[in-house]
Amino acid sequence: MVKKLIIKSTTFGSFILHYSITLLIIFGLISSSKVEAKTRHLKWEVKYEFKSPDCYKKLVMTVNGMSPGPTIMAEKGDMIVVEVTNGLLTENLAIHWHGIRQIGTPWADGSEGVTQCPIVPGDTFVYLFAVDQPGTFMYHAHYGMQREAGLNGMIHVSHPKGQPEPFTYDFDHSILLTDWWHKSTYEAATGLSSLPFVFVGEPQSLLIQGRGQFNCSLVNSPSDPDICNATRPDCSPFVLTVVPGKTYRLRIGSLTALSALSFAIEGHNMTVVETDGHYVESFDVQNLFIYSGETYSVLVKANQDPSRNYWATTNVVSRKPKTPTGLAIFNYSPNPPLQTPPTIPTSGPAWNDSVPRMAQSQAIRARKGFIEPPPATSDKLIMLLNAQNNNSGHIYWSVNNMSFTLPTTPYLVALKEGKLRGELGRIFDHGAPPDGYDWVNYDIYNPPVYPSVTFSNAIYRLKFDTTIDIVLQNANSLTKNNSETHPWHLHGHDFWVLGYGNGKFDPFKDPSKYNLVDPILKNTVPVHPFGWTAIRFKANNPGVWLFHCHIESHFYMGMGIVFEEGVEFVGKLPSSIMGCGETKGLINP
Amino acid sequence: MVKKLIIKSTTFGSFILHYSITLLIIFGLISSSKVEAKTRHLKWEVKYEFKSPDCYKKLVMTVNGMSPGPTIMAEKGDMIVVEVTNGLLTENLAIHWHGIRQIGTPWADGSEGVTQCPIVPGDTFVYLFAVDQPGTFMYHAHYGMQREAGLNGMIHVSHPKGQPEPFTYDFDHSILLTDWWHKSTYEAATGLSSLPFVFVGEPQSLLIQGRGQFNCSLVNSPSDPDICNATRPDCSPFVLTVVPGKTYRLRIGSLTALSALSFAIEGHNMTVVETDGHYVESFDVQNLFIYSGETYSVLVKANQDPSRNYWATTNVVSRKPKTPTGLAIFNYSPNPPLQTPPTIPTSGPAWNDSVPRMAQSQAIRARKGFIEPPPATSDKLIMLLNAQNNNSGHIYWSVNNMSFTLPTTPYLVALKEGKLRGELGRIFDHGAPPDGYDWVNYDIYNPPVYPSVTFSNAIYRLKFDTTIDIVLQNANSLTKNNSETHPWHLHGHDFWVLGYGNGKFDPFKDPSKYNLVDPILKNTVPVHPFGWTAIRFKANNPGVWLFHCHIESHFYMGMGIVFEEGVEFVGKLPSSIMGCGETKGLINP
C-alpha cells in the first residue's frame, strides 16, 4: 500500500511536505499503513577472492564470499538496510540498487559521482531504502568498471501476502546472466583509455547464475598449471531442478558488461509475465532476448519427457559471437542433477537478425488490469543521438556528440548543499546539454562525418513534475555497416515505452504511432541497431538521476547523461554520502 | 646549513617554539640561512598503463607515464612540492618519501593509515617537505601493496654548490633495483589472505632501472600472442654508457617487494661511499648486497678494456632463487650500447651464504670527519622478536607475537585532533605493545612452539627526546631450518647501527660490543638469518612513525610497529590528510 500512498503524495502540493520529511517518517508511513512491512537488515562485506566461475581462476569481487551475491528477498513495502563494509585493500566502492526508484532516498541510489562519494576501504556505508513495488530487481557495483568484477545479485520483491498475483506458479527461482573475462576490469578499463585503443575482446564465458565452463584445454600456463581446472565444483553447470508437472517462475536478469543475450530452455516454452517490476500481457517465447539491465519473469511448465534433462542455454546476439554458449541444466527430478542432456545445445538465433528482437520489444505491453496509462502529452522532447566518436585515436561514445564524464563531487551534494552552490560552475559544467541533434541532415547509416566529440559533465535540469519524452536514436558506429544495440537504464524512475522503430525518428510523424494505451513501464530499454526507441517519464522523483547505456564500457567511454529534478525537495542529505571532492568539509559527525 | 640549524633546535627548550611554527617559517629559516635554497615544484599524475618492463605486458602504476617515476633532483635545503593527482579509476593512493625525515612536516610522510588518509581517485594531494640532508633517497607508494605495482623512483639530494664532497667523480647516475611479478598486486595480496594461503611465488624478473628480460618462450597465450614480446624496445636492457678513464657515482637503491639482492659490474670494483644519505668510510666490493629500502652510492672507475661492454647483474640472495639474473649493460663508449658482452653473466654469490652479507653489514662505518656520535647510553631498550605465525591456517608475521594491523583513522590525526582524543580507544588499541619477548627461553633455531598470534594496532608512545635502542632478533620461520632476512625501515629518523650478531642477543652481554665510535646512520637495516641487529635513535622528531619490515608482503602480514613521539609539538595538521575513518568530520575547507 505504500506505493499508492507515495503516488498520491506526488501531487505537487503535498510533495514538499512529503519529501522534506526524514526517512524515519517514511518508516512511519509504512508501519502505519501496513503492519506486515518489515525492515530487512543485511550486513555485507565486499572483498576480492579467488574464484573459478568458469573453471578459470581469477579474482572475483564478492559479497559475503559469493558472486552473484545473496538474493535480497523482500516484500513490497519493506525497508531494506544494507550495511556494506568495504573489505577491499585499496579500492573504493559503491552499490546501485537497480530498478529501485529510491523515492525519498535519492542519496541511496549508489551511483558514485552522482549520488554519493565512493566507500573507502575499511568504511561501512549504510544503504537504506524502501522497496515499494513488487517485482524483480538487481544490484551491482556502480563505480569505475567494477560491475564486471562480479559484484552483482538480485532483489526479489514479492506481492504482499494474501494479494494474489495475476498468474500462478508453484516455485520461484532466480537466474542471473553475466558475461565474464579472464582479464581484470582494470585491464579492460586501461585498454579503453589507451592509445592505441586496446579492446579486452569478447568475453571468455557467459555465466548462468555465476557458473560457466571455459574450455581449459585452451589455456597453457606452465607457471600455474591449476589456473584452469574443469573439475572444480564451483564451475559445474548451474542446475535448476524441477518436478514434472509443476510450473516455475524464473526471474531472469542480465547484468552483462557487454553482451546482448538470448536465453532458452530446450523444448520448453517460456511465458513472459513480468519485466522490470511490471506485469506483462503474457506471451510465449522459445528464445527470450534480454539486454543488460533488464529483468524478466517467465513461467515454465515442466511438461516434457521427464526421463531426461534439458539444456538451458544463453547465447550472444547483436555482436558477432566469439563466446561459447552458456550452459545450465534443466533437471527433471529425480534424474541426477548433472546428467548430461542427450542433445547438442543450441547456439541460439542468428546473432545479426534484429527482426525477432525488435518483435519481442514490440510485443511487451502492460498487462490488462495493471495498466498505468501515461500522460497523454509531454512537456519536453529530448532526442539523443547514440554515436561513437574518435578523437585523435581515442574512442568514445556520446549522445548528441557529447561524451559524459563524472565529476569528483557528486551532483546531488553539489546541488543541495548551500556552501557549494556558489561553486557549481567549478564542480560541473554550466549550461544545458543539447536537447537534440541535427536530425534532418545526420546520416545514421554511415560512420560519423565529424567524429570528434565534446566532453562534458553538464546535466539536464528538468522542471519538476513535468512529463519528459526521450527518443534514443541509434546510428552507425565508427565501423561501416555496424550499429550496436544499446540498453539504456534510467535511475530513479520507471518509464513508459511508447514505441520502437527502424531508421531515423521523425519528430513530426513518428509520435503519432506511439502506444499510449498499454505501454509497459520499464527501467531499461534497448535501442536496436539503426533504430529508435521512444520513452516517457514523469520528472517527479526529487533527486539526481543517471540515464546511461548499461554496457559498462560504453558508459565508461561517455555514453550517459544526468537529470536533475526537484532537488529543492530532497531532504537533508546524510553526511555519509560526502567526503570526496568539494564535499570534504561538509561532514558533521 | 638547514640541517645544523634544525639539529641545534632540537634541544627541548627551543623545540616547542620550533615545531609549533608553520611550514612558512621553515621556508623562512631556509631562505634566511641559505639564499640558494629553491622550491622544486612537481606535478605528477599517477595512473595505470600497459607496460612491458620485462617484455611481458602488464598494468604498471606510473608517474607521468613512467616507472620508475622521474628522479627528483634537489639540493640540500630545498623545499619539494609534489602535487600528486590520483588518476587511477577506483584505487586510492599514498606516496612515501623514503629516507626524508619530514622534520616539521610529519603529515607529509605518505604512510596511509599512519600520517594520512589515502588520496581518492580524482583528488590532488600536495606533499610539501624539506630535503635537509644530501644523499640518495627514494619514493614509493605506501598503501596496500601498491609499491610492487611500479610506483617508485629516486630522490637525489646534492651537496650545496661550492661545498666539495669527500670523494670525487665525473658523473652521477641512478640505478633502481626492483623485483617484478606478472600477476597483479591485488592477486598477490588476496593470496596472502586466502585460506589456504596462496603465495604468488618468486618474482618472474629482477628489473634494473625498470627493465628486465623475461624469457618469452615460457609464455604460451594463444588468446593474446603479443603478451610477451622480447623485441619490445621498453625491455631492452638498461644501458649505462661510460667514457674510458672516468669515474662514476652510481646511486643504487632497492625497492624490491621481496628479494634481497647482490649487485655487480663485471670486472669492476665498486667503492662504497654513501648509504641512506650518510658517508661511509669507503671500502671496495665486487658484490654489493642491498636490501629493500636501502640506498648505496658506489664509485666505479671505467678502467677496464674499453673495446667491449660488461654485464651489470643483480641476483637474489637469502631466498633460494627462482628468478633469473637481472641484466644491464655497462657500455664503454663508443661501443654500441646494446652490444652483448662476450661473457656469461654471473649468477652471483651463493644465495644461502650469509657470511659475506654479515661482513658487508659490519664493514659499514661512518666516514671519518663525518661521524655524528650516538648518545653514549639509551633510555629504553625494545627487543623485537621477528617471527612467523600460523593462526588456523592463515600465515602472519609478527614482532613479539603481535601482528600489526592499520587503523582506518590515521594515528597522527587521532592523536592530534582534540575532538578525537576522547575516542582513541575506539580508533586504535589502548595500551603499549610489549617491549620484549621471553628471550631467555625462546628457541630462535626452531619453528615457534606457540605459533598463534595477537592482532593489534597499539603503538609505542616514546618519551620525547629520549634515546631508544631497538634490537631486532631474528628467528626460525614456520619452516624448519629457515630464517629470512628482514630489512627494517624507520620513518622519520636515521638511526645509528650499533651492531650485528649471530644467534640470540643477550641484553646483558651484547651491548658491550656495540660500536659507539663510528656507527653509520641509516634508515633501513637488515637483520640477518638467525641473527640480531641493534640500532639507536633519538625520539626527537615530533610525529607518528612506522618501523617495519620493508618486504611488502611481510608488512602486509603484520610485521611492523608504530612509534609516537612529541605529537604535542606537531603543528596544525593540514586538513588534506583527513577525510577517512573518524577524521571525516574534521575538514574545514
Side-chain angles (χ1 to χ4, degrees):
Chain A
M1 298 294 90
V2 174
K3 184 179 168 189
K4 283 191 186 151
L5 256 177
I6 287 176
I7 285 170
K8 276 181 195 148
S9 72
T10 56
T11 58
F12 193 74
S14 64
F15 201 86
I16 296 167
L17 185 64
H18 182 75
Y19 281 101
S20 50
I21 58 182
T22 68
L23 275 177
L24 287 172
I25 308 203
I26 295 182
F27 267 115
L29 278 173
I30 289 163
S31 39
S32 66
S33 66
K34 184 163 171 327
V35 288
E36 308 92 327
K38 283 188 188 142
T39 298
R40 315 245 173 198
H41 201 119
L42 306 167
K43 284 189 184 228
W44 286 5
E45 187 188 11
V46 175
K47 57 180 177 176
Y48 275 124
E49 293 185 48
F50 284 107
K51 297 266 180 194
S52 303
D54 66 347
C55 307
Y56 185 95
K57 189 170 61 181
K58 194 197 147 181
L59 285 187
V60 178
M61 199 175 278
T62 60
V63 174
N64 294 347
M66 295 184 280
S67 173
T71 298
I72 298 179
M73 306 294 291
E75 196 173 296
K76 178 184 161 178
D78 288 349
M79 292 300 298
I80 308 294
V81 183
V82 191
E83 277 184 44
V84 178
T85 297
N86 181 350
L88 303 170
L89 185 56
T90 55
E91 278 189 56
N92 305 319
L93 192 66
I95 301 180
H96 171 56
W97 315 94
H98 184 110
I100 307 300
R101 295 178 298 174
Q102 304 289 357
I103 294 171
T105 55
W107 47 75
D109 187 50
S111 327
E112 184 276 332
V114 179
T115 63
Q116 72 167 102
C117 292
I119 310 166
V120 301
D123 258 19
T124 296
F125 184 94
V126 181
Y127 288 98
L128 190 159
F129 54 88
V131 286
D132 61 350
Q133 301 188 110
T136 308
F137 309 102
M138 304 186 285
Y139 62 83
H140 57 80
H142 211 300
Y143 182 52
M145 281 177 56
Q146 286 177 340
R147 194 180 88 216
E148 70 186 67
L151 199 172
N152 53 45
M154 296 191 84
I155 305 172
H156 287 197
V157 183
S158 58
H159 237 58
K161 281 196 188 66
Q163 290 187 24
E165 290 193 277
F167 43 81
T168 58
Y169 48 92
D170 301 297
F171 299 97
D172 191 341
H173 290 287
S174 279
I175 297 181
L176 184 60
L177 306 175
T178 48
D179 42 10
W180 192 246
W181 283 260
H182 295 166
K183 294 204 170 171
S184 68
T185 56
Y186 248 96
E187 288 173 283
T190 304
L192 298 177
S193 306
S194 290
L195 200 62
F197 181 85
V198 179
F199 177 47
V200 69
E202 300 296 321
Q204 276 68 54
S205 298
L206 299 178
L207 307 185
I208 298 179
Q209 197 58 19
R211 288 156 180 268
Q213 297 77 43
F214 187 71
N215 178 356
C216 287
S217 72
L218 298 176
V219 179
N220 182 348
S221 177
S223 63
D224 191 355
D226 198 42
I227 198 160
C228 198
N229 182 341
T231 67
R232 284 214 184 85
D234 42 345
C235 65
S236 71
F238 173 67
V239 175
L240 187 74
T241 299
V242 297
V243 175
K246 297 291 185 188
T247 298
Y248 291 80
R249 177 180 188 169
L250 304 183
R251 296 174 186 257
I252 304 168
S254 171
L255 286 175
T256 54
L258 177 66
S259 313
L261 298 175
S262 65
F263 178 82
I265 301 171
E266 183 189 5
H268 292 73
N269 274 347
M270 296 181 280
T271 305
V272 179
V273 294
E274 180 228 332
T275 184
D276 296 2
H278 295 277
Y279 294 129
V280 169
E281 183 65 19
S282 65
F283 63 99
D284 285 6
V285 294
Q286 273 84 46
N287 275 297
L288 177 75
F289 295 105
I290 181 166
Y291 306 93
S292 181
E294 289 192 311
T295 68
Y296 288 94
S297 285
V298 299
L299 302 182
V300 180
K301 187 151 190 184
N303 58 5
Q304 298 298 305
D305 172 6
S307 70
R308 51 162 287 199
N309 290 344
Y310 297 82
W311 292 113
T313 50
T314 187
N315 284 286
V316 171
V317 291
S318 182
R319 295 176 67 88
K320 188 169 183 182
K322 294 181 183 167
T323 309
T325 300
L327 298 175
I329 293 176
F330 198 70
N331 161 240
Y332 272 73
S333 176
N335 301 330
L338 290 172
Q339 187 181 71
T340 305
T343 46
I344 292 169
T346 177
S347 56
W351 71 269
N352 54 356
D353 181 4
S354 62
V355 174
R357 291 188 272 127
M358 179 64 97
Q360 177 184 307
S361 289
Q362 289 177 329
I364 301 170
R365 302 296 172 109
R367 189 175 187 107
K368 286 184 190 70
F370 296 86
I371 298 169
E372 292 184 41
T377 58
S378 86
D379 300 302
K380 184 183 178 78
L381 167 64
I382 301 174
M383 293 204 291
L384 299 175
L385 175 70
N386 288 219
Q388 196 179 27
N389 304 77
N390 185 327
N391 258 27
S392 46
H394 285 287
I395 298 175
Y396 300 96
W397 287 94
S398 68
V399 285
N400 297 344
N401 282 314
M402 213 167 228
S403 191
F404 178 70
T405 57
L406 276 168
T408 52
T409 299
Y411 293 106
L412 182 61
V413 190
L415 290 163
K416 271 304 287 181
E417 291 292 315
K419 285 180 194 165
L420 296 182
R421 282 158 81 179
E423 309 183 57
L424 288 187
R426 195 156 67 86
I427 295 171
F428 61 89
D429 299 332
H430 265 305
D435 282 352
Y437 71 107
D438 179 9
W439 69 274
V440 175
N441 296 306
Y442 192 92
D443 177 5
I444 66 162
Y445 293 107
N446 278 296
V449 180
Y450 304 108
S452 73
V453 69
T454 305
F455 301 97
S456 177
N457 53 22
I459 66 176
Y460 294 83
R461 304 198 65 168
L462 305 177
K463 195 171 172 201
F464 187 71
D465 217 26
T466 56
T467 300
I468 311 296
D469 278 6
I470 305 276
V471 173
L472 297 159
Q473 176 64 59
N474 217 334
N476 202 104
S477 71
L478 289 169
T479 309
K480 272 209 156 195
N481 299 316
N482 175 266
S483 177
E484 301 195 17
T485 305
H486 301 286
W488 281 81
H489 172 60
L490 180 57
H491 291 224
H493 303 79
D494 296 332
F495 48 73
W496 291 275
V497 184
L498 302 185
Y500 299 87
N502 291 309
K504 202 194 285 183
F505 175 85
D506 181 331
F508 296 109
K509 293 183 188 156
D510 287 315
S512 64
K513 304 174 207 158
Y514 284 171
N515 170 20
L516 300 175
V517 179
D518 60 355
I520 190 72
L521 278 160
K522 282 181 109 300
N523 60 60
T524 305
V525 74
V527 57
H528 293 289
F530 300 109
W532 57 263
T533 301
I535 65 173
R536 178 169 293 178
F537 69 97
K538 288 276 283 181
N540 62 2
N541 188 8
V544 188
W545 309 107
L546 263 175
F547 181 48
H548 63 99
C549 177
H550 212 259
I551 294 177
E552 188 150 65
S553 52
H554 290 193
F555 178 52
Y556 175 74
M557 294 157 84
M559 201 168 208
I561 58 175
V562 167
F563 297 117
E564 174 273 323
E565 67 208 45
V567 76
E568 62 275 26
F569 307 126
V570 169
K572 184 173 160 49
L573 301 180
S575 70
S576 59
I577 64 171
M578 306 177 197
C580 59
E582 301 294 322
T583 74
K584 279 187 186 148
L586 299 179
I587 298 177
N588 294 309
Chain B
M1 297 296 90
V2 173
K3 184 179 168 188
K4 282 192 185 153
L5 255 177
I6 287 174
I7 285 172
K8 274 183 195 150
S9 74
T10 57
T11 58
F12 192 75
S14 65
F15 202 87
I16 296 168
L17 184 63
H18 181 74
Y19 281 100
S20 50
I21 57 182
T22 68
L23 275 175
L24 288 172
I25 307 201
I26 295 182
F27 267 115
L29 278 173
I30 289 163
S31 40
S32 66
S33 66
K34 187 165 168 326
V35 286
E36 306 92 326
K38 284 189 187 138
T39 298
R40 314 242 174 200
H41 201 117
L42 306 167
K43 284 192 182 224
W44 287 5
E45 187 186 9
V46 175
K47 58 181 178 175
Y48 275 123
E49 294 184 48
F50 284 108
K51 298 263 179 194
S52 304
D54 67 346
C55 307
Y56 185 95
K57 190 171 59 184
K58 193 196 146 182
L59 284 187
V60 178
M61 199 175 278
T62 60
V63 175
N64 294 349
M66 294 184 280
S67 173
T71 298
I72 298 179
M73 307 294 291
E75 196 173 297
K76 177 183 160 179
D78 288 349
M79 292 301 298
I80 309 294
V81 182
V82 191
E83 277 185 45
V84 178
T85 298
N86 182 349
L88 303 170
L89 185 57
T90 56
E91 280 189 54
N92 305 319
L93 193 66
I95 301 181
H96 172 55
W97 315 94
H98 184 110
I100 307 300
R101 295 178 297 173
Q102 303 289 357
I103 294 171
T105 55
W107 46 76
D109 188 50
S111 326
E112 185 276 334
V114 179
T115 63
Q116 71 166 101
C117 292
I119 310 166
V120 302
D123 258 19
T124 296
F125 185 94
V126 180
Y127 288 100
L128 189 161
F129 54 87
V131 287
D132 61 350
Q133 300 189 109
T136 308
F137 310 101
M138 304 185 286
Y139 63 83
H140 58 80
H142 210 301
Y143 182 53
M145 281 177 56
Q146 286 177 341
R147 193 179 87 215
E148 71 186 66
L151 200 172
N152 53 45
M154 296 191 83
I155 305 173
H156 287 197
V157 184
S158 57
H159 237 59
K161 280 194 188 67
Q163 290 186 27
E165 290 194 276
F167 42 81
T168 57
Y169 48 91
D170 301 298
F171 299 98
D172 190 340
H173 289 288
S174 281
I175 297 181
L176 184 59
L177 306 175
T178 50
D179 43 9
W180 191 245
W181 282 260
H182 295 166
K183 295 203 168 171
S184 70
T185 57
Y186 248 96
E187 288 174 282
T190 305
L192 298 176
S193 305
S194 290
L195 200 61
F197 181 85
V198 179
F199 177 48
V200 69
E202 300 296 322
Q204 276 68 54
S205 298
L206 300 178
L207 307 185
I208 300 180
Q209 198 58 17
R211 286 157 182 267
Q213 296 78 45
F214 188 71
N215 179 355
C216 287
S217 71
L218 298 174
V219 179
N220 182 349
S221 176
S223 64
D224 191 355
D226 197 42
I227 198 162
C228 199
N229 182 342
T231 66
R232 282 213 185 86
D234 43 345
C235 65
S236 70
F238 173 67
V239 175
L240 188 73
T241 299
V242 296
V243 175
K246 296 292 184 186
T247 298
Y248 290 81
R249 177 180 186 167
L250 303 183
R251 298 172 184 259
I252 305 168
S254 171
L255 286 174
T256 55
L258 177 65
S259 314
L261 298 175
S262 65
F263 178 82
I265 301 171
E266 183 188 5
H268 292 74
N269 273 348
M270 296 181 280
T271 305
V272 179
V273 292
E274 181 229 330
T275 185
D276 295 5
H278 295 277
Y279 294 128
V280 170
E281 183 64 20
S282 65
F283 63 99
D284 285 5
V285 293
Q286 271 82 48
N287 275 297
L288 177 76
F289 295 106
I290 182 166
Y291 305 94
S292 181
E294 289 191 312
T295 66
Y296 288 95
S297 284
V298 298
L299 302 182
V300 181
K301 187 153 191 186
N303 58 5
Q304 298 298 305
D305 173 6
S307 70
R308 51 163 286 199
N309 290 344
Y310 296 81
W311 291 115
T313 51
T314 187
N315 283 286
V316 171
V317 292
S318 182
R319 297 176 67 87
K320 189 168 181 183
K322 292 180 183 167
T323 309
T325 300
L327 297 176
I329 293 177
F330 198 71
N331 160 239
Y332 273 72
S333 174
N335 300 328
L338 289 172
Q339 186 180 70
T340 305
T343 47
I344 292 169
T346 178
S347 58
W351 71 269
N352 55 356
D353 181 4
S354 62
V355 174
R357 291 188 271 127
M358 179 65 97
Q360 177 183 308
S361 290
Q362 290 177 328
I364 300 171
R365 303 296 172 108
R367 188 173 187 110
K368 285 184 191 73
F370 296 86
I371 298 169
E372 292 184 42
T377 58
S378 86
D379 300 304
K380 183 182 179 78
L381 168 65
I382 301 174
M383 293 204 292
L384 300 176
L385 176 70
N386 288 219
Q388 195 179 28
N389 304 77
N390 185 328
N391 258 28
S392 46
H394 285 287
I395 297 175
Y396 300 97
W397 288 94
S398 68
V399 286
N400 297 341
N401 281 315
M402 213 165 229
S403 191
F404 178 71
T405 56
L406 276 169
T408 51
T409 299
Y411 292 108
L412 181 62
V413 190
L415 290 163
K416 270 305 286 180
E417 291 291 315
K419 284 182 192 162
L420 295 182
R421 283 158 80 180
E423 309 184 58
L424 287 188
R426 194 156 67 86
I427 294 171
F428 61 89
D429 298 333
H430 265 305
D435 283 348
Y437 72 108
D438 179 9
W439 68 274
V440 175
N441 296 307
Y442 191 92
D443 177 4
I444 66 162
Y445 294 106
N446 278 297
V449 180
Y450 305 107
S452 74
V453 70
T454 306
F455 300 96
S456 176
N457 53 22
I459 66 175
Y460 293 85
R461 305 198 63 169
L462 305 178
K463 194 168 172 204
F464 187 72
D465 215 27
T466 56
T467 300
I468 310 297
D469 279 4
I470 305 277
V471 173
L472 297 160
Q473 176 64 58
N474 216 333
N476 202 104
S477 71
L478 290 168
T479 309
K480 271 210 158 194
N481 300 316
N482 175 267
S483 178
E484 301 194 16
T485 305
H486 301 287
W488 280 81
H489 172 60
L490 180 57
H491 292 221
H493 302 79
D494 297 329
F495 48 73
W496 291 275
V497 184
L498 303 184
Y500 297 88
N502 291 309
K504 202 194 283 183
F505 175 84
D506 182 331
F508 297 110
K509 292 185 189 155
D510 287 315
S512 64
K513 303 175 206 156
Y514 284 171
N515 170 19
L516 300 176
V517 178
D518 60 355
I520 190 73
L521 279 160
K522 280 181 111 302
N523 61 60
T524 305
V525 74
V527 56
H528 292 290
F530 299 111
W532 57 263
T533 301
I535 64 173
R536 177 168 293 177
F537 70 95
K538 288 277 284 181
N540 62 3
N541 188 9
V544 189
W545 308 107
L546 264 175
F547 181 48
H548 64 99
C549 177
H550 212 258
I551 293 176
E552 188 151 65
S553 52
H554 291 194
F555 178 52
Y556 176 74
M557 294 158 84
M559 200 166 209
I561 59 175
V562 167
F563 297 117
E564 174 274 321
E565 67 208 45
V567 77
E568 62 274 27
F569 306 126
V570 170
K572 183 171 161 49
L573 301 180
S575 70
S576 59
I577 64 171
M578 307 178 197
C580 59
E582 301 295 321
T583 75
K584 279 186 188 149
L586 299 179
I587 297 178
N588 294 308

